[in-house]
Amino acid sequence: MRDCVDASVVAGFAFARLPLDGQPKATKGSGKKPAPAPYGANKGASKTQKNPLFESRPKNFGIGQDIQPKQDLTRFVKWPEYVRLQRQKVILSQRLKVPPAIAQFSHTLDKNTATQLFKLLNKYRPETKQEKKARLDALAKATAEEKEAQAKDSKKPLFVKYGLNHCVALIEAKKASLVVIAHDVDPIELVVFLPALCRKMGVPYVIVKGKARLGTVVHKKTAAVLTIQDVRSEDQRELATLVSAAKANFTDKYEEQRRQWGGGIRGAKSTQMLRKRAKAAGQTLSVANAQKL
């Protein structure tokens, strides 16, 4: 009986020493090795020594965290409607075919000649209301004091003429020496007839950039057309130079510009597509454009 109890105790003790999974533990001398680490796991083991003086502080550009660096956000700006409209208008005038009567306004006076023209125009700026009032007051006083002074001072000073109806009347009467037309008048129909009228009447004309620039000459926001009627004797040579430049660049080239259509300029994507088609067909880009591939 005692032997049976001892045997059951020994068996229970041996069962308690077994691991939870029921498998016996491997002994030290069994020769089994653990599986090797996967490839690349030991790369981070060899760390480079960091300088303790320069501490790494990586920035976090999340919402509410570090301030974003300055970027060019022009493409993401929602521009005002008038800005979008004027930009779309410029692109459309490049893409669509423009008739010659309107296309002639894209050929403007060169920069150097335009600078000389505006120097002359600024010498003959119209007087302001205050200046005109002061001149007429002085004339009235002189007339009241001495009647002979009236004939002497009654001559009106020389100024640039402005206003569409006034300028057209001067051109039709052949009293204009030089007509200056703005290239960006809106609607263009206001001035589209002026080059033909000037040529018919034999009046030299030029087309310059900027109705706002013409407006500054006559103390207005914008001006569609200005007219030089007469100038002082010291400015006669300068006016003659400008008139000869106007005839060479505009009057003499009128018939040529009458036949030239404007616009028809393709965008970057369309040009690239044509270039690819031409390359696939083994042609040059000019041939591809001519055949409208």
Side-chain angles (χ1 to χ4, degrees), residues 6-292:
D6 292 341
S8 62
V9 171
V10 171
F13 181 72
F15 179 75
R17 295 279 309 266
L18 286 173
L20 293 174
D21 56 357
Q23 299 293 331
K25 284 186 177 180
T27 57
K28 287 184 179 179
S30 63
K32 288 186 178 179
K33 293 181 180 179
Y39 179 74
N42 293 328
K43 279 189 175 180
S46 59
K47 290 183 179 179
T48 56
Q49 276 191 340
K50 292 183 179 179
N51 192 336
L53 296 177
F54 302 102
E55 186 178 350
S56 175
R57 295 191 187 94
K59 288 190 175 183
N60 178 15
F61 293 121
I63 297 173
Q65 303 298 323
D66 291 315
I67 298 172
Q68 294 273 354
K70 286 187 178 180
Q71 300 173 12
D72 185 13
L73 303 175
T74 312
R75 278 187 68 85
F76 307 102
V77 174
K78 186 173 182 182
W79 295 97
E81 191 174 9
Y82 80 95
V83 175
R84 280 178 281 162
L85 283 173
Q86 66 190 13
R87 289 180 179 178
Q88 288 165 3
K89 184 181 175 183
V90 169
I91 295 297
L92 276 177
S93 63
Q94 290 175 355
R95 300 285 177 270
L96 302 178
K97 294 195 78 176
V98 181
I102 297 172
Q104 66 180 335
F105 287 92
S106 61
H107 305 292
T108 54
L109 198 63
D110 62 279
K111 188 178 179 182
N112 294 331
T113 315
T115 306
Q116 293 175 1
L117 173 64
F118 278 96
K119 278 183 182 176
L120 180 64
L121 290 175
N122 285 326
K123 288 182 183 178
Y124 296 94
R125 295 183 74 183
E127 56 191 358
T128 59
K129 288 183 179 179
Q130 293 80 8
E131 291 170 350
K132 186 176 182 180
K133 185 181 177 183
R135 177 173 64 83
L136 294 176
D137 284 345
L139 182 63
K141 285 178 184 177
T143 307
E145 290 174 2
E146 191 178 349
K147 289 187 177 179
E148 293 177 1
Q150 184 178 3
K152 185 179 178 182
D153 298 332
S154 62
K155 198 170 184 182
K156 201 174 180 182
L158 299 173
F159 293 130
V160 171
K161 309 297 180 183
Y162 65 98
L164 192 58
N165 291 336
H166 188 190
C167 291
V168 169
L170 290 173
I171 294 167
E172 288 175 343
K174 298 185 180 180
K175 290 181 180 178
S177 300
L178 181 65
V179 178
V180 186
I181 308 167
H183 85 297
D184 56 348
V185 179
D186 187 30
I188 196 68
E189 288 83 7
L190 291 174
V191 294
V192 77
F193 65 93
L194 279 179
L197 179 64
C198 288
R199 184 172 176 275
K200 185 179 179 181
M201 294 297 171
V203 176
Y205 71 95
V206 292
I207 298 170
V208 296
K209 282 191 176 180
K211 59 184 178 181
R213 196 177 178 189
L214 291 182
T216 57
V217 176
V218 294
H219 311 291
K220 302 286 182 185
K221 285 184 180 178
T222 58
V225 57
L226 301 182
T227 303
I228 298 176
Q229 193 172 359
D230 292 312
V231 293
R232 293 183 287 270
S233 57
E234 62 265 24
D235 295 321
Q236 288 286 350
R237 181 180 291 180
E238 194 174 350
L239 178 63
T241 307
L242 291 169
V243 166
S244 62
K247 286 180 178 177
N249 291 320
F250 293 94
T251 310
D252 296 344
K253 292 183 178 178
Y254 180 79
E255 286 297 330
E256 179 188 338
Q257 290 177 355
R258 269 186 67 205
R259 297 179 180 87
Q260 283 186 355
W261 283 66
I265 302 170
R266 293 179 176 272
K269 291 180 182 177
S270 180
T271 308
Q272 191 67 20
M273 179 191 68
L274 286 176
R275 192 173 285 126
K276 286 181 180 178
R277 285 184 183 177
K279 190 176 180 182
Q283 299 170 338
T284 59
L285 184 60
S286 57
V287 176
N289 274 330
Q291 296 177 357
K292 294 183 181 179

